[in-house]
Amino acid sequence: MRQPDSNMITTDIDRAIAVLQQDGLVAIPTETVYGLAANAYSEVAVRKIFALKQRPLSNPLIVHIPSTEVLDEIALHIPDVAWKLAEKCWPGPLTLLLEKRAHIPEVVTAGKDTVAVRVPAHPLTRALLENLPFPLVAPSANPFGSISPTRAEHVSKYFGKELEVILDGGECRKGLESTIVGFEHGQPVLYRRGSIPAEEIEKITGPLKAVTNNDEAPLAPGMQSRHYAPDTPTILTDDVAGKLGALEGKKIGLLLFQNPVEHKDVVHCEILSASGNLEEAASNLYAALHRLDGAALDMIVAERVPDTGLGKTINDKLERASAVKPTMP
Ligand code: TXA
Ligand code: MG
């Protein structure tokens, strides 16, 4: 294999096409986060994603397609409401869980009979998909459980040694993963909070049922799965000033929504949106977490954001980022 070099960060889709056609992995920009992409129809290529991310094979991948027109090639028995969602939200940060067609490899869907599928909105990745004879599977381009990447340099920090091509699409516009919606007996179900607030989806589908058996959701009360997580111990609170009083003498970094908090132990402070805008806060969240995690802190204190609309997604990610690391029994 060719050794990756400093030119691996590129906007040249021809280089990406060449690697993907030979069952290699390429990092791709999307409007949500960067993805680690492979030929969805090549089991060999797909397995490389699981190996590089150290992701359990039980955790299925999202299939990325160039347009709604080819949805029929991936899924069958597509409910009318799914078509309606696709029409309104694609290209964009919505993933649909649908009945899979037989030719979708089992390794993609982790043996399930559903497949996750979406049409991403980033122009570079759309051009890439339009020029490939196969769809791409793409989980977020981070090691399993760690902070998702929203810039090419985040991907390079994680996988710079292993990847030949990182397609540079600039900063991800939305900054949070796609919202995942599935169907149970025709009823819409929210599998993952994401870039499209649940309320927006409900305007199209009617009330969404929340699912609790997905591996991104808590398995049971108190068993929060750790995800989107910095290496630095992180706590989440509504009362930052109060928490700081109890953390005397530590080197602290703050992740705040809107207003600064002064304290002698604070050595790094990130404000997600000085104007209190949740969309801006969403697009800044992961980059702020990456900076905090790189600042050699003893602890990150994160502030809960207003729990409406996109704020629900941000709080959900912050809860997982601050979940306690599992310890060996
Ligand atoms: O915004 C996004 O969706 C990004 C970009 C790169 O497109 N991708 C992404 O992929 O977030 P990933 O692998 O990090 O998260 C996909 C989630 C996982 O929690 C997985 O369990 C769930 O989708 N998923 C995929 N297929 C599924 C299925 N058939 N049934 C239930 N959950 C599924
Ligand atoms: Mg992910």
Side-chain angles (χ1 to χ4, degrees):
M1 203 178 84
R2 233 193 57 199
Q3 281 305 303
D5 54 38
S6 56
N7 292 324
M8 73 184 163
I9 299 184
T10 176
T11 55
D12 182 357
I13 66 167
D14 290 335
R15 283 184 60 193
I17 289 170
V19 172
L20 290 164
Q21 279 181 323
Q22 290 182 20
D23 287 342
L25 305 185
V26 166
I28 58 166
T30 83
E31 77 283 26
T32 60
V33 299
Y34 275 76
L36 187 61
N39 176 354
Y41 293 157
S42 162
E43 191 174 326
V44 169
V46 175
R47 283 186 183 276
K48 287 181 185 169
I49 292 183
F50 285 94
L52 184 56
K53 272 186 66 101
Q54 298 194 309
R55 175 178 173 118
L57 281 160
S58 57
N59 194 350
L61 303 175
I62 299 173
V63 175
H64 295 64
I65 55 173
S67 71
T68 310
E69 279 93 86
V70 294
L71 180 59
D72 266 333
E73 292 170 26
I74 309 295
L76 72 179
H77 303 140
I78 302 167
D80 286 348
V81 63
W83 283 117
K84 215 153 108 191
L85 280 170
E87 192 184 306
K88 297 257 187 200
C89 301
W90 284 352
L94 169 75
T95 293
L96 293 174
L97 283 185
L98 299 165
E99 196 175 324
K100 92 190 245 304
R101 283 200 180 268
H103 69 96
I104 308 294
E106 296 233 320
V107 64
V108 168
T109 58
K112 295 180 199 288
D113 49 18
T114 53
V115 59
V117 56
R118 84 177 190 101
V119 180
H122 196 287
L124 205 55
T125 289
R126 293 198 72 205
L128 178 66
L129 285 165
E130 274 156 16
N131 283 283
L132 286 168
F134 44 77
L136 294 173
V137 279
S140 50
N142 51 284
F144 186 65
S146 63
I147 310 165
S148 302
T150 52
R151 295 176 179 179
E153 79 210 41
H154 296 156
V155 183
S156 148
K157 186 184 75 182
Y158 286 137
F159 299 131
K161 290 201 181 72
E162 291 89 355
L163 289 177
E164 250 180 85
V165 173
I166 297 173
L167 269 187
D168 188 359
E171 205 163 337
C172 299
R173 193 161 47 79
K174 296 285 185 185
L176 296 175
E177 285 80 356
S178 60
T179 303
I180 305 185
V181 176
F183 305 90
E184 271 174 18
H185 315 291
Q187 288 296 105
V189 179
L190 180 66
Y191 278 81
R192 176 174 75 180
R193 290 191 185 279
S195 271
I196 305 180
E199 293 90 325
E200 293 302 310
I201 305 279
E202 286 183 326
K203 283 183 192 159
I204 303 163
T205 60
L208 284 167
K209 189 180 145 195
V211 84
T212 49
N213 63 354
N214 178 266
D215 56 20
E216 286 222 356
L219 299 170
M223 283 179 68
Q224 185 75 54
S225 68
R226 189 177 155 86
H227 221 115
Y228 316 100
D231 288 330
T232 315
T234 301
I235 53 174
L236 178 62
T237 177
D238 289 311
D239 174 19
V240 172
K243 275 281 182 247
L244 286 172
L247 292 167
E248 205 61 24
K250 291 210 192 276
K251 234 175 119 189
I252 305 285
L254 296 184
L255 181 63
L256 302 172
F257 175 49
Q258 183 175 11
N259 299 311
V261 174
E262 303 290 338
H263 190 277
K264 66 176 175 43
D265 293 337
V266 172
V267 296
H268 187 118
C269 181
E270 295 282 345
I271 305 265
L272 291 176
S273 172
S275 64
N277 178 305
L278 286 167
E279 288 188 5
E280 184 182 32
S283 71
N284 287 330
L285 178 66
Y286 291 146
L289 277 171
H290 279 280
R291 282 191 295 271
L292 283 161
D293 209 21
L297 302 164
D298 293 326
M299 179 154 280
I300 299 169
V301 178
E303 177 180 39
R304 216 180 294 273
V305 307
D307 204 45
T308 56
L310 260 190
K312 286 194 174 146
T313 304
I314 297 173
N315 285 334
D316 182 76
K317 308 291 176 194
L318 286 175
E319 258 151 38
R320 294 171 205 284
S322 59
V324 178
K325 251 184 199 169
T327 47
M328 297 303 277

